[in-house]
Amino acid sequence: MLELKNIGYRVSDELGEKQILQDVNLTLDDRFVAFTGPNGGGKSTLAKIIAGIYKPTEGRIYLDGEDITDLSITERANKGISYAFQQPVRFKGITVRDLINIAAGKNMKVSDACAYLSEVGMCARDYIDREVNASLSGGELKRIEIATILARSTKLSIFDEPEAGIDLWSFSSLIKVFEKMHEKTQGSILIISHQERILNIADKIVVIADGKVQNVGEKDKVLPKLLGAESCRVLTDKL
């Protein structure tokens, strides 16, 4: 279970101080949670605070009752938090097999590594020895990144807009992967998304805007209001 208590985040620049997040309080213990809301509302910032990429300027974070506020991203990863970036990182000289082994924390049999690629709908023999470089498409990188998170099998897996920059076919494949992951996971999945199809498979939806939690609840209660609200137009023209 993840608990966020009175989380705030401020940044300073030449124009002064800006409050990005303010007094965020959340308890997340569902298998599949979706963060949504207008661009610039604070969704990605909050996810990066959970992962340890950013440190909150106010408040505390608890994972299964343990205060992890001051832990680094590496320490949080070791505690069981995974983070998938909106734009997956490319690694010249590192193969897909290498990446899965690193994620799993051990040298796996080729057949075991290939099984993770098969889980995300990829022909393993075509990808297992390829470099994670510019030769891969956005959709391929997304699925490889998901395969590495499956290999890690952590308490909490965070995905920042996994649909960004991919074609319609790859997006349809991603939906199937998340549905399958939702069925099989022993931990929790947190996805930042504007897409109705992703919001539709979430157990809980958290609406974040203007640095605050504006609404939170079960999908059946939150999504109809979100889709019917005039303000939903600022989320995305795909809703």
Side-chain angles (χ1 to χ4, degrees):
M1 183 171 66
L2 183 74
E3 295 179 90
L4 308 178
K5 295 187 176 182
N6 307 115
I7 295 297
Y9 185 68
R10 289 174 280 110
V11 295
S12 299
D13 57 23
E14 63 275 6
L15 299 177
E17 192 172 78
K18 183 178 181 180
Q19 190 83 34
I20 307 298
L21 293 170
Q22 183 176 349
D23 199 28
V24 173
N25 289 279
L26 279 173
T27 298
L28 304 177
D29 56 0
D30 302 82
R31 280 194 304 161
F32 197 143
V33 178
F35 282 1
T36 194
N39 290 329
K43 305 181 299 297
S44 291
T45 298
L46 184 57
K48 288 175 180 176
I49 284 174
I50 293 169
I53 298 169
Y54 298 157
K55 184 175 180 180
T57 48
E58 296 95 24
R60 310 302 297 178
I61 305 169
Y62 298 88
L63 182 65
D64 293 336
E66 178 185 358
D67 190 339
I68 63 170
T69 312
D70 298 319
L71 298 187
S72 68
I73 185 172
T74 300
E75 291 169 323
R76 293 190 200 194
N78 290 335
K79 293 288 183 182
I81 297 178
S82 297
Y83 187 90
F85 289 88
Q86 187 176 135
Q87 297 297 329
V89 180
R90 300 174 190 268
F91 300 94
K92 186 176 180 180
I94 294 180
T95 67
V96 172
R97 186 196 306 186
D98 294 333
L99 207 56
I100 292 175
N101 283 337
I102 291 168
K106 60 183 179 181
N107 288 321
M108 307 179 71
K109 295 179 180 178
V110 174
S111 58
D112 292 335
C114 286
Y116 287 113
L117 291 177
S118 298
E119 286 279 340
V120 297
M122 303 184 83
C123 181
R125 68 172 179 269
D126 292 340
Y127 289 95
I128 193 69
D129 291 317
R130 285 184 64 176
E131 286 190 16
V132 187
N133 57 25
S135 68
L136 295 170
S137 70
E140 289 169 332
L141 283 170
K142 293 283 187 183
R143 282 184 280 168
I144 289 167
E145 188 172 48
I146 293 169
T148 64
I149 289 181
L150 288 172
R152 288 205 70 215
S153 187
T154 51
K155 293 179 183 178
L156 176 62
S157 301
I158 304 170
F159 298 88
D160 190 352
E161 296 195 29
E163 72 274 14
I166 64 171
D167 57 44
L168 183 61
W169 182 88
S170 295
F171 177 64
S172 297
S173 297
L174 281 178
I175 292 293
K176 293 176 183 177
V177 169
F178 285 128
E179 287 175 335
K180 192 172 183 180
M181 189 176 178
H182 186 205
E183 292 172 0
K184 295 181 66 175
T185 184
Q186 298 302 307
S188 297
I189 305 167
L190 194 165
I191 297 185
I192 300 169
S193 182
H194 294 138
Q195 288 287 346
E196 182 182 352
R197 289 176 65 187
I198 289 180
L199 301 182
N200 242 323
I201 59 176
D203 297 315
K204 177 183 286 184
I205 295 175
V206 181
V207 182
I208 301 171
D210 299 322
K212 299 178 181 179
V213 174
Q214 304 292 343
N215 198 1
V216 58
E218 296 177 1
K219 169 195 63 182
D220 293 341
K221 294 180 179 179
V222 176
L223 191 55
K225 295 178 182 178
L226 190 63
L227 296 174
E230 184 73 19
S231 61
C232 78
R233 293 180 183 177
V234 302
L235 297 181
T236 177
D237 57 7
K238 296 180 181 179
L239 268 179

